Amino acid sequence: MEVEENPQLQMRPESSPMEVEQFDRRPAALGDLRILPDEILCSILTYLTPRDVARLSCVSSVMYILCNEEPLWMSLCIDIADRQLQYKGSWKRTALDQLNVSFENNESFQKLLHFDGFNSMFLYRRLYRCYTSLNGFYYDTGNVERTKNLSVEEFRDKYDGQKPVLIGGLTDTWPARTTWTTEELLKNYGDTAFKLSQRSRYKIRMKLKDYLSYMKVQHDEDPLYIFDEKFGEAAPELLKDYIVPDMFKEDFFDVLDKDQRPPFRWLIMGPERSGASWHVDPGLTSAWNTLLCGRKRWALYPPGRVPLGVTVHVNEEDGDVNIDSPSSLQWWLDFYPLLAEEDKPIECTQLPGETIFVPSGWWHCVLNLETTVAVTQNFVNAKNFEFVCLDMAPGYRHKGVCRAGLLALDDISIEDVRKNMLSLESGSSCSDLSRKDKRIRVDQPKGSEKGSTVDGVSKCIYLSEVEFSYEINFLAMFLDKEQDHYTSLWSSSNSIGQREMREWLSKLWVGKPEIRDLIWKVFIYSLLC
Amino acid sequence: MASTTETKQKKMLILKSADNDEFEIEESVGVQSETIKNLVEDGFTFVPLPNVYTKALIKIIDYLKKHANKTDSNDEEIKTFDKDFVNTTFDDLFELVSAANYLHISCLMNMLCQTIADRIKDKSPEAVRKIFHINCDYTPEEEAKIRKANAQAFEGQFDESLD
């Protein structure tokens, strides 16, 4: 077969000349499967059941090795976990425990067999990611502005809706500053179950004491972390340990009843290597995130600028956006070093007691450098209200454009927009656009003033003479005129339902007469488009 | 990420296989592959694919064309196409899955991995060895040990068929 002649497809680990003579058990132990790289073999195994994987491990030595990989069992376990999870020291044991398979008395289970003569670059790199030190990111070489004693006005004028900022000093009066350490929390909430981060069929929970013991022993590449929007219900006292900072107090969703309001606050706790992979916050809300202990590395890109290694899929049925992204750790270790200076994200290392502000629509990715405890809230205020409402409007294109910029469009749509813009040329929105565009450039990392860098940046923003701009009039051009709010498919990812959306706007109309202009504007965008 | 493409309707791309055959396809069809998309965004219209052979490339282009024309009404048609697409030998599936992996076409990757897994599941180790011509390289002691450790997975009936 042709493929066999192609050494590239086999992707066998490179061996130095010294090792050429070494015995390689891979070909015989994999038979016809040997033409598949380890990476693909490992991913095929994740589509099987634990029972199938256990049986496959009896086929041959290399199958045994691949079928006993901890990341495989982590994935199998998360697929089947439908109740509170208790980590049993390894993911394989945890999975079997979930399936009520006893292994305690099974001696042969205790120790894995070792086979030499199998070297896998793929498995090695994965293991490397699980054990490597993240010290290189520990000290801040970043370029997010740091402020202290930031006033509400200053925040509104300089940062809100414009760029990320690190704010110090907000936690000085919070009880959480001293009580949100793993030791203290364990004392008071050990038996409280919190929700975990994994995207699985069932939301997995773990008791805090079980989670903390998992956190200590695991060496996972993408460790589970606590990410619980219901922590206020599970442990109401925790809500008294922090105070929403003044500059973030305004939240238009607070007019909704508790059960109608979309999730807006999360307790986050996770070990080194864990963290959220690249994403844009739900519904284009803005967020603040305050770190109580540990350090977090942040990377951010302005709206519309898709990070390297990330793919944005736009659903053709309802315009919903799905994101494919490597784990945060993998991105930092494998993608970040490949970036040219001008393509690097805006980044920083957040320290305990610091709060970071993430504006609406901004891409971000977080890596915990050590065990961290944080609280985060998302909000809708006067600055991002229109974006949040626009995002809920039905249609095929605007959600993609808000996140991926003009890359989300095909040629014909771009042509439409170009015509649209030419006809608007004398209008005010164009000067608006160029002003915003400059803003995006200003936000680029330092040292980007030079000619070549500006090219790099503008390449991402200009596409066929149309400039992307995260500006409401620009984005509104991508709404589908023929879609209407009452009969169109309501996108499943919208944070509130169709009826709640109408109720929300009418409650705001009554409760916040000072923003009626805005409400009327979004009413036109999102309900009557 | 960057793009300097022009707005002409139906821009075309040329894909060149590992055995030097060239195929012209619409750009909108090709960019379903992340690998091709990245090259297109860097301004390439000629895309050499040194890891994909003609035989697999023809099938994959078929797949991409079909999936580029997805609408509300041809859902059933695409399902039938997909079913047909994966109804082939293991050798073909392996070649396709390697190509899909290289080209970064995630929906195709998922479908092929799922298909291969479905054809392996429920088989006994002996059947798996026969199907893939795998040498059992265990010593009898090792094999007994591993069988014992996984005894629970051997309860019930297996599929001993060799397809």
Side-chain angles (χ1 to χ4, degrees):
Chain A
M1 209 170 61
E2 293 150 326
V3 174
E4 292 183 33
E5 291 159 19
N6 182 350
Q8 296 256 37
L9 267 185
Q10 300 195 18
M11 267 173 57
R12 232 125 14 93
E14 293 137 306
S15 45
S16 69
M18 297 267 294
E19 293 164 329
V20 167
E21 298 301 313
Q22 214 182 39
F23 162 65
D24 180 8
R25 67 168 69 239
R26 193 180 190 279
L30 286 180
D32 298 346
L33 292 168
R34 72 184 178 280
I35 68 160
L36 295 178
D38 296 338
E39 176 193 355
I40 296 181
L41 287 171
C42 288
S43 97
I44 291 169
L45 294 177
T46 62
Y47 289 79
L48 291 163
T49 64
R51 195 176 134 87
D52 289 315
V53 170
R55 242 178 10 258
L56 270 182
S57 72
C58 301
V59 168
S60 72
S61 60
V62 174
M63 290 299 262
Y64 176 86
I65 294 167
L66 298 178
C67 288
N68 276 296
E69 277 286 301
E70 273 290 287
L72 167 64
W73 284 94
M74 181 174 179
S75 144
L76 296 175
C77 189
I78 285 163
D79 280 348
I80 55 168
D82 59 351
R83 56 188 160 102
Q84 215 161 292
L85 201 62
Q86 227 183 350
Y87 188 67
K88 297 290 176 186
S90 81
W91 279 110
K92 188 171 178 186
R93 282 159 187 259
T94 310
L96 295 180
D97 179 64
Q98 287 276 317
L99 294 166
N100 297 316
V101 173
S102 71
F103 48 82
E104 292 306 337
N105 299 323
N106 189 336
E107 273 174 44
S108 19
F109 192 91
Q110 308 295 334
K111 214 172 149 239
L112 274 187
L113 297 179
H114 175 77
F115 297 97
D116 48 16
F118 176 66
N119 300 300
S120 167
M121 193 48 87
F122 171 72
L123 296 188
Y124 171 74
R125 279 207 60 81
R126 189 158 74 175
L127 197 68
Y128 165 82
R129 290 195 294 270
C130 297
Y131 284 87
T132 188
S133 151
L134 300 175
N135 285 349
F137 300 116
Y138 204 76
Y139 296 101
D140 202 341
T141 49
N143 43 19
V144 173
E145 272 179 59
R146 277 199 152 78
T147 62
K148 234 185 170 153
N149 307 321
L150 186 66
S151 72
V152 176
E153 292 70 32
E154 213 181 332
F155 169 72
R156 205 166 41 212
D157 297 343
K158 281 177 75 178
Y159 305 103
D160 196 10
Q162 297 174 52
K163 58 184 168 183
V165 61
L166 280 163
I167 311 162
L170 296 177
T171 58
D172 294 349
T173 56
W174 295 13
R177 190 71 185 88
T178 48
T179 56
W180 285 28
T181 61
T182 52
E183 298 80 17
E184 285 297 311
L185 291 170
L186 178 63
K187 274 189 221 155
N188 299 314
Y189 304 99
D191 282 312
T192 308
F194 291 103
K195 287 191 188 181
L196 300 178
S197 55
Q198 280 291 334
R199 308 162 214 151
S200 61
R201 247 182 309 168
Y202 313 95
K203 233 1 187 172
I204 312 172
R205 285 167 198 270
M206 250 189 194
K207 281 188 180 166
L208 185 66
K209 60 179 184 198
D210 291 333
Y211 178 74
L212 292 175
S213 61
Y214 156 75
M215 198 168 80
K216 278 202 191 91
V217 296
Q218 58 78 33
H219 251 285
D220 293 333
E221 173 176 2
D222 195 5
L224 298 177
Y225 60 96
I226 289 179
F227 187 69
D228 191 346
E229 82 278 9
K230 293 263 171 72
F231 73 96
E233 273 102 313
E237 295 297 306
L238 289 176
L239 294 177
K240 297 183 186 156
D241 291 342
Y242 72 96
I243 304 148
V244 177
D246 287 339
M247 63 206 64
F248 305 124
K249 279 235 163 75
E250 183 176 57
D251 186 353
F252 293 174
F253 270 140
D254 61 20
V255 298
L256 283 176
D257 294 338
K258 224 165 102 192
D259 55 327
Q260 286 190 340
R261 178 175 193 169
F264 66 103
R265 59 183 169 211
W266 286 266
L267 168 70
I268 315 177
M269 188 187 303
E272 185 180 356
R273 292 185 306 283
S274 66
S277 57
W278 281 106
H279 67 283
V280 171
D281 277 349
L284 302 179
T285 51
S286 308
W288 57 270
N289 180 314
T290 301
L291 189 54
L292 284 317
C293 69
R295 295 182 187 220
K296 280 177 189 283
R297 185 73 176 180
W298 287 77
L300 306 108
Y301 282 111
R305 183 151 178 201
V306 182
L308 180 70
V310 174
T311 315
V312 177
H313 303 276
V314 181
N315 185 315
E316 284 159 40
E317 262 146 46
D318 56 7
D320 254 359
V321 173
N322 273 309
I323 290 159
D324 255 353
S325 165
S327 70
S328 175
L329 179 74
Q330 197 172 7
W331 189 83
W332 282 101
L333 295 178
D334 294 350
F335 290 85
Y336 175 78
L338 303 177
L339 293 172
E341 205 50 45
E342 67 267 23
D343 291 330
K344 286 214 169 124
I346 295 163
E347 52 185 304
C348 64
T349 300
Q350 183 188 19
L351 305 174
E354 284 187 319
T355 301
I356 189 168
F357 164 66
V358 181
S360 162
W362 279 65
W363 286 91
H364 51 288
C365 164
V366 193
L367 182 65
N368 290 315
L369 303 177
E370 49 200 0
T371 299
T372 61
V373 181
V375 61
T376 185
Q377 290 203 183
N378 282 54
F379 58 89
V380 184
N381 66 7
K383 275 274 167 57
N384 65 9
F385 179 53
E386 294 170 90
F387 295 88
V388 171
C389 293
L390 175 93
D391 202 54
M392 283 195 267
Y396 301 106
R397 299 184 304 174
H398 62 284
K399 284 176 192 252
V401 172
C402 288
R403 290 158 179 85
L406 300 177
L407 294 176
L409 297 176
D410 55 33
D411 297 343
I412 297 157
S413 316
I414 291 178
E415 193 55 31
D416 284 353
V417 174
R418 211 170 61 86
K419 283 185 197 138
N420 213 332
M421 292 198 39
L422 288 173
S423 66
L424 285 174
E425 198 130 66
S426 53
S428 65
S429 67
C430 265
S431 60
D432 243 349
L433 288 186
S434 50
R435 186 166 49 79
K436 284 278 175 165
D437 176 48
K438 273 183 207 135
R439 194 202 79 214
I440 290 177
R441 275 192 220 176
V442 170
D443 291 345
Q444 291 302 312
K446 277 179 204 151
S448 65
E449 290 94 299
K450 298 211 175 79
S452 65
T453 315
V454 173
D455 279 344
V457 175
S458 53
K459 258 205 282 185
C460 301
I461 298 170
Y462 295 105
L463 196 84
S464 328
E465 300 152 46
V466 177
E467 300 164 40
F468 173 77
S469 155
Y470 195 70
E471 197 266 341
I472 196 73
N473 293 324
F474 178 81
L475 297 172
M477 287 196 292
F478 300 96
L479 289 166
D480 297 305
K481 300 287 175 276
E482 63 275 14
Q483 299 271 333
D484 96 273
H485 178 77
Y486 293 90
T487 55
S488 300
L489 192 64
W490 190 248
S491 159
S492 54
S493 70
N494 283 349
S495 45
I496 53 175
Q498 218 154 351
R499 222 219 252 132
E500 285 80 14
M501 167 87 177
R502 293 198 289 269
E503 205 178 314
W504 182 43
L505 294 186
S506 70
K507 278 189 169 166
L508 286 174
W509 185 265
V510 178
K512 295 191 195 286
E514 69 279 10
I515 58 158
R516 282 190 181 168
D517 280 355
L518 266 183
I519 300 172
W520 182 245
K521 213 172 149 193
V522 309
F523 184 72
I524 290 168
Y525 284 145
S526 51
L527 300 192
L528 299 176
C529 63
Chain B
M1 234 175 298
S3 178
T4 51
T5 47
E6 288 159 16
T7 48
K8 263 181 269 156
Q9 297 197 359
K10 293 217 170 163
K11 273 177 296 180
M12 303 303 282
L13 293 175
I14 293 172
L15 308 183
K16 186 177 156 196
S17 74
D19 18 17
N20 295 319
D21 290 314
E22 292 181 9
F23 298 88
E24 195 179 31
I25 61 166
E26 282 174 36
E27 186 189 287
S28 59
V29 170
V31 295
Q32 294 173 86
S33 147
E34 279 306 305
T35 308
I36 296 176
K37 188 172 160 212
N38 289 338
L39 288 165
V40 167
E41 283 168 7
D42 286 342
F44 290 90
T45 53
F46 180 80
V47 181
L49 300 169
N51 283 344
V52 185
Y53 283 84
T54 299
K55 193 175 156 205
L57 188 56
I58 290 173
K59 278 204 82 170
I60 286 180
I61 291 173
D62 258 7
Y63 174 90
L64 293 177
K65 278 186 182 159
K66 200 78 198 175
H67 282 251
N69 293 319
K70 213 148 103 180
T71 60
D72 293 342
S73 54
N74 67 0
D75 209 38
E76 278 308 309
E77 193 188 323
I78 287 187
K79 270 189 194 143
T80 317
F81 173 89
D82 285 351
K83 227 173 135 187
D84 254 23
F85 186 89
V86 296
N87 186 15
T88 180
T89 62
F90 272 120
D91 282 350
D92 284 348
L93 288 175
F94 295 164
E95 210 171 325
L96 288 169
V97 79
S98 302
N101 187 47
Y102 174 75
L103 289 166
H104 286 278
I105 309 168
S106 58
C107 55
L108 181 58
M109 241 344 247
N110 289 344
M111 179 168 86
L112 290 165
C113 288
Q114 183 73 62
T115 305
I116 296 168
D118 286 348
R119 290 220 208 150
I120 296 174
K121 73 169 186 203
D122 296 330
K123 302 267 188 210
S124 69
E126 291 74 19
V128 173
R129 283 177 198 146
K130 278 188 199 143
I131 293 168
F132 298 113
H133 310 102
I134 292 173
N135 251 358
C136 172
D137 57 352
Y138 291 131
T139 62
E141 296 77 38
E142 283 169 347
E143 184 163 12
K145 232 179 181 176
I146 294 167
R147 284 259 187 176
K148 199 176 155 222
N150 294 289
Q152 304 251 10
F154 285 91
E155 287 164 7
Q157 291 289 308
F158 304 115
D159 177 1
E160 300 287 349
S161 63
L162 300 182
D163 50 51

